[in-house]
Amino acid sequence: MSYRYMRIIIMFDLPTATSEDMKNYRDFRKFLIKNGFMMMQESVYTKIALNQGVAGLIANKLRANKPPKGLVQMLIVTEKQFSRMEILVGDISGENITDDRRLIV
């Protein structure tokens, strides 16, 4: 079996005007974290998938748990494409995992 790591990037801009909007925002953010997404920057989360099939399953789960209002965008790229990202300003935070190493605690 061939493994081609994929990177799923979620970008969102959700309303926070009412208490119901705030609850939807918190619930969506908690859903992302609970399902293994890591914050790249504010309102941008990312997760590594083993291959395109697994990425498709994660995408379906995201579609099923999307908030009722706001803008949520999903981009799926290969890990090779993601690794070519160029940082123009700022530094990489040491808290984010930027490669496909597995973490064992």
Side-chain angles (χ1 to χ4, degrees):
M1 176 180 233
S2 174
Y3 297 112
R4 184 172 186 177
Y5 291 107
M6 305 296 288
R7 183 74 69 143
I8 303 160
I9 304 167
I10 301 296
M11 301 161 278
F12 60 92
D13 187 16
L14 302 177
T16 56
T18 67
S19 60
E20 183 180 346
D21 290 343
M22 287 294 292
K23 181 183 181 328
N24 290 333
Y25 172 84
R26 285 190 308 270
D27 289 347
F28 184 65
R29 188 174 171 281
K30 285 179 186 177
F31 167 80
L32 291 175
I33 293 168
K34 181 180 173 189
N35 285 279
F37 282 83
M38 297 189 67
M39 186 169 67
M40 247 176 82
Q41 64 184 49
E42 191 171 333
S43 297
V44 179
Y45 285 73
T46 183
K47 180 177 181 170
I48 295 176
L50 188 59
N51 55 37
Q52 194 167 5
V54 174
L57 293 173
I58 295 168
N60 289 338
K61 195 171 186 180
L62 283 161
R63 288 183 192 104
N65 289 282
K66 65 184 183 292
K69 293 191 292 187
L71 175 66
V72 179
Q73 298 169 302
M74 175 173 49
L75 178 65
I76 301 175
V77 297
T78 65
E79 188 60 24
K80 186 175 183 178
Q81 291 169 325
F82 183 80
S83 68
R84 285 189 244 151
M85 180 178 14
E86 181 180 349
I87 298 173
L88 300 176
V89 177
D91 296 322
I92 296 176
S93 170
E95 297 175 1
N96 294 336
I97 298 172
T98 57
D99 60 17
D100 59 0
R101 287 179 289 149
R102 300 208 179 233
L103 178 63
I104 300 175
V105 179

